[in-house]
Amino acid sequence: MSFVFSNNNTKNDSDGFNDIKTIFTMEPDKNVNRYQKTSGKNVSDSYSMDLEYTEPITDSLRVRFGSDLDWQSSSNDQKTYDVDRLTEEILDLNSSLTTYTTSAQNSVAPKVGITLRKSNYTLNLDSKTTIVNFDNYSLYMGNETQLNKKYVLPFASAQLRYKFSKSKNLTFKYDYSNAIPSANYLMPIVNLNNPLNSIIGNPDLDLIEKNSINFNFRNFDFRTRSGYAFSLKGDYFDNDIVSTSVFDANGRRTTTYVNISGNYSLSAGANWNQSIKRDEHVLRYGIGLNGKYSFNKGYTNAVLYNAKSTAISPKLYFTYEYGELLTISPSYGLSFNETHYENTSANSTSAVVHRAGLQTTTYWPSNLIFGNDFGYTYNSNISDDFKKDFYLWNASLSYGFLQKTLYAKIKVYDVLNQNQSATRTISATSVRDEENTVLKRYVMFSVAYKIGNFASEKGSKRRGGERGGERGDRGERERDI
């Protein structure tokens, strides 16, 4: 018998300022000039309870049944005030940009499962039906809107794992699931925050249906920490939710959401790694390759278009360890993606991203751990008006007290103060470049205390996240389930 309870409670208060000028060259009378103060309060609470009972029928067969119960609620209170540009005095509440919304979702999900375990294979079958009450409320420009929905969400999963040997196994998994559209997609109120894009929800949206297939093969020797793996995954969507926009003569658009079937994605991955140990010297190296193809459909000006995207990401990595004193880990990765469009103004886009990194960790003197994570990134998918490449260096220094059971650590993020957030967003109708203000260099201090001698000194250092890049050992041993 198992019982699990979890909760999450969040409250966010925000204040901001809008200084926006939007010019319509064909219709100057529709120009937008905003100078406003904004305030927002978001509250979110969720509680989840999971009950399950498992009963063995035979030595190899067991059944389980139980129920999941979930309670979720959220509220969003956004206020916008017009401000005088000269005096900075607040004038009036702007009702067209002020909204109050609440959402509550309660569900119960009875479930049943079967596990059949033999010497060479394990079969898991799971089924669940979630019954949901979804209640939404909004107050906008003096008008109240209530939207109450009831849903029944079926779920089914089947997994077969075949074990050829202690180090070699094959796993196949199929999932069928349904998802509820979010309140933002459903509520029929107008969002005018962006002068170039008015958004309104669609209360008639159907459930999102998803079929997923996963295939994994692994041959990994835990003793030598060497091996290889392959994976294949496919997702197919019925009633996927996509945005549909209608443009006027000025390029201003009105957007809503509709269901569409036929979107899918296929992905594959492979990696190989080798480990060699000679006395105090340990050498690990490997190569990985991931690829993805996706097909997506949508509407623009009531015309159906599609986008076919291909992405390939090879990676090389290398690690050298010298006893308990030094670890060096260089790596290089490349990402290439290309998208072709049909029945839209865009033809095709492509981009290449290069990432090179070097991690070093020293464990000398005895109680001191010094970690560095240095990286270089070049992104061609950014306008020439922005800097396309940057360096990122994170450094940490830890010291062990009380026979290395207590560690004090100071870490500096972005030592060179070069972190940037210039991004390009490409869709079937637009290419948008923007750069946001981000927090660059900052310092963090932390203390960690180890209870019990559960690992070797070197292993505990790494599991404690003392390396400069906060990345775990790629070859960390997995539990053989």
Side-chain angles (χ1 to χ4, degrees):
M1 187 73 176
S2 69
F3 170 77
V4 179
F5 175 81
S6 61
N7 70 291
N8 185 29
N9 307 90
T10 305
K11 179 181 179 181
N12 292 319
D13 294 318
S14 62
D15 292 290
F17 214 88
N18 294 333
D19 188 359
I20 300 172
K21 292 183 180 179
T22 306
I23 299 172
F24 296 100
T25 56
M26 299 181 64
E27 297 179 279
D29 59 307
K30 295 184 178 180
N31 291 348
V32 177
N33 190 352
R34 295 179 182 174
Y35 196 69
Q36 300 164 328
K37 178 183 178 182
T38 65
S39 66
K41 179 180 292 186
N42 294 280
V43 179
S44 177
D45 299 292
S46 65
Y47 304 90
S48 177
M49 187 167 61
D50 179 7
L51 293 168
E52 186 171 286
Y53 176 78
T54 302
E55 176 71 23
I57 305 301
T58 65
D59 291 341
S60 59
L61 178 66
R62 61 180 57 194
V63 298
R64 56 189 173 275
F65 54 89
S67 183
D68 297 336
L69 298 98
D70 294 279
W71 302 267
Q72 300 178 31
S73 65
S74 62
S75 65
N76 186 0
D77 189 3
Q78 298 290 328
K79 291 184 173 63
T80 302
Y81 301 89
D82 294 324
V83 178
D84 188 286
R85 283 185 178 272
L86 298 178
T87 65
E88 299 291 334
E89 180 184 357
I90 294 178
L91 300 176
D92 298 302
L93 180 71
N94 190 311
S95 59
S96 64
L97 298 176
T98 296
T99 59
Y100 175 75
T101 61
T102 64
S103 180
Q105 182 176 322
N106 302 319
S107 66
V108 57
K111 58 185 180 180
V112 63
I114 298 174
T115 297
L116 178 63
R117 179 172 296 169
K118 295 292 187 180
S119 58
N120 292 333
Y121 69 88
T122 301
L123 175 65
N124 281 302
L125 300 175
D126 290 285
S127 178
K128 179 169 66 175
T129 301
T130 306
I131 304 168
V132 184
N133 288 326
F134 195 28
D135 299 330
N136 301 278
Y137 168 85
S138 70
L139 176 62
Y140 178 65
M141 297 188 68
N143 297 320
E144 294 183 316
T145 302
Q146 288 188 338
L147 182 65
N148 300 324
K149 295 274 190 176
K150 294 184 183 296
Y151 296 99
V152 176
L153 311 179
F155 169 83
S157 175
Q159 176 178 289
L160 176 64
R161 185 172 186 265
Y162 188 83
K163 190 174 181 180
F164 298 93
S165 63
K166 185 177 180 180
S167 63
K168 188 185 303 183
N169 61 73
L170 173 70
T171 303
F172 174 83
K173 186 177 182 182
Y174 167 78
D175 289 322
Y176 171 80
S177 61
N178 286 260
I180 299 174
S182 68
N184 293 334
Y185 290 160
L186 289 170
M187 292 300 289
I189 58 175
V190 182
N191 183 338
L192 300 174
N193 290 332
N194 185 349
L196 296 177
N197 186 15
S198 301
I199 304 174
I200 184 170
N202 178 5
D204 298 322
L205 290 174
D206 293 325
L207 295 174
I208 305 170
E209 296 182 52
K210 180 181 178 182
N211 291 269
S212 298
I213 294 177
N214 288 273
F215 172 87
N216 293 277
F217 176 81
R218 185 182 68 172
N219 185 1
F220 188 82
D221 189 335
F222 293 115
R223 183 181 59 83
T224 63
R225 305 179 78 174
S226 305
Y228 58 90
F230 302 96
S231 65
L232 293 171
K233 182 181 179 181
D235 295 322
Y236 181 84
F237 293 88
D238 279 321
N239 292 328
D240 198 9
I241 296 177
V242 299
S243 61
T244 174
S245 300
V246 177
F247 291 78
D248 62 16
N250 284 298
R252 183 172 52 191
R253 56 179 168 161
T254 301
T255 300
T256 188
Y257 305 98
V258 296
N259 289 110
I260 198 168
S261 295
N263 289 344
Y264 65 88
S265 65
L266 301 170
S267 59
N271 68 78
W272 172 86
N273 58 77
Q274 184 74 30
S275 179
I276 301 175
K277 184 176 182 179
R278 295 289 186 271
D279 298 325
E280 294 295 317
H281 304 275
V282 179
L283 183 64
R284 298 188 183 94
Y285 50 91
I287 184 173
L289 178 64
N290 291 291
K292 183 175 182 179
Y293 174 83
S294 60
F295 178 84
N296 294 284
K297 296 188 287 185
Y299 290 95
T300 298
N301 284 334
V303 176
L304 181 67
Y305 72 86
N306 65 65
K308 302 174 183 178
S309 301
T310 304
I312 299 175
S313 302
K315 184 176 183 179
L316 296 168
Y317 50 89
F318 173 94
T319 297
Y320 169 73
E321 297 178 5
Y322 179 70
E324 301 285 338
L325 299 177
L326 175 67
T327 300
I328 301 175
S329 299
S331 63
Y332 170 76
L334 178 149
S335 298
F336 172 78
N337 62 78
E338 185 176 59
T339 303
H340 294 272
Y341 298 94
E342 295 181 358
N343 293 336
T344 185
S345 57
N347 293 321
S348 63
T349 62
S350 62
V352 177
V353 179
H354 299 269
R355 294 184 179 91
L358 176 64
Q359 291 183 6
T360 63
T361 308
T362 60
Y363 303 92
W364 184 90
S366 178
N367 290 334
L368 197 66
I369 303 175
F370 181 44
N372 289 274
D373 186 354
F374 184 81
Y376 171 77
T377 300
Y378 173 85
N379 187 359
S380 71
N381 193 27
I382 298 178
S383 169
D384 293 334
D385 297 325
F386 300 106
K387 183 175 174 59
K388 293 178 178 288
D389 64 340
F390 67 94
Y391 297 92
L392 185 62
W393 178 19
N394 301 328
S396 67
L397 186 65
S398 302
Y399 190 83
F401 301 89
L402 302 176
Q403 297 182 343
K404 301 180 183 180
T405 59
L406 179 68
Y407 275 90
K409 175 179 176 181
I410 185 170
K411 182 164 185 176
V412 182
Y413 289 83
D414 194 11
V415 177
L416 303 177
N417 207 36
Q418 283 203 5
N419 190 21
Q420 61 185 28
S421 61
T423 58
R424 168 170 289 183
T425 304
I426 301 175
S427 69
T429 56
S430 66
V431 177
R432 179 184 179 89
D433 291 324
E434 58 186 341
E435 184 172 17
N436 299 316
T437 302
V438 296
L439 178 66
K440 295 187 179 180
R441 183 193 301 129
Y442 67 96
V443 179
M444 183 184 74
F445 178 77
S446 62
V447 176
Y449 179 68
K450 182 182 74 172
I451 300 175
N453 187 20
F454 58 87
S456 65
E457 176 182 319
K458 187 174 181 181
S460 64
K461 290 175 185 175
R462 287 182 185 153
R463 276 187 284 272
E466 302 300 337
R467 302 183 64 180
E470 298 291 335
R471 300 179 198 170
D473 192 342
R474 292 186 184 91
E476 184 175 354
R477 176 169 179 164
E478 299 178 17
R479 178 179 296 177
D480 188 16
I481 302 175

